Amino acid sequence: MTKSAKGNSLVNVGGYRFSLKKNRPKGPKQRWRCSSHHKKVSQYIVIRRGRQMLNIKGYLYGLQYNTGPKRIWRCTSHYYKGCLASVHTYNDDIILRRHEHTH
């Protein structure tokens, strides 16, 4: 077991790196997360009227749903191009990407 630059516990298994999941339950069990699946939000931007947007690989997402640490972002081309792409984040970690962009 090693430590990351931020002091998090890391373990290498079969060439893959895993980090100890935060907010884990108390007790003997520990949950580890593959580092290749742990993606941070690319970039937040704020446009006119203070609206927060998310920029991932050149696609813009507008905040659709916000409840505490969980947010759902929808592609800004949703209404005029019918794009169904969306991103779910939890504490600024991307936890789910839904649908491909249709434009």
Side-chain angles (χ1 to χ4, degrees), residues 1-58:
M1 190 169 358
T2 60
K3 295 281 184 181
S4 71
K6 293 183 178 180
N8 298 324
S9 298
L10 298 173
V11 65
N12 287 314
V13 178
Y16 295 97
R17 188 173 59 183
F18 295 86
S19 61
L20 188 59
K21 190 173 178 183
K22 294 180 181 177
N23 299 328
R24 62 188 183 273
K26 305 252 187 238
K29 292 183 180 180
Q30 294 180 333
R31 293 184 185 222
W32 296 83
R33 176 182 230 167
C34 179
S35 61
S36 65
H37 288 89
H38 187 71
K39 298 176 182 160
K40 288 282 186 188
V41 168
S42 294
Q43 178 183 8
Y44 286 117
I45 60 174
V46 177
I47 61 170
R48 281 183 288 162
R49 293 175 265 159
R51 185 171 177 205
Q52 192 176 27
M53 306 288 279
L54 179 63
N55 181 0
I56 300 176
K57 296 182 181 176

Side-chain angles (χ1 to χ4, degrees), residues 58-100:
Y59 291 107
L60 286 178
Y61 297 83
L63 185 60
Q64 178 189 11
Y65 179 76
N66 183 8
T67 173
K70 183 178 180 181
R71 294 179 177 179
I72 298 176
W73 305 82
R74 185 170 301 263
C75 179
T76 56
S77 297
H78 172 72
Y79 293 106
Y80 69 95
K81 290 187 179 178
C83 185
L84 298 176
S86 65
V87 173
H88 296 222
T89 60
Y90 188 86
N91 286 336
D92 294 336
D93 293 329
I94 296 173
I95 58 172
L96 179 65
R97 284 181 141 169
R98 300 189 77 155
H99 306 289
E100 294 294 321

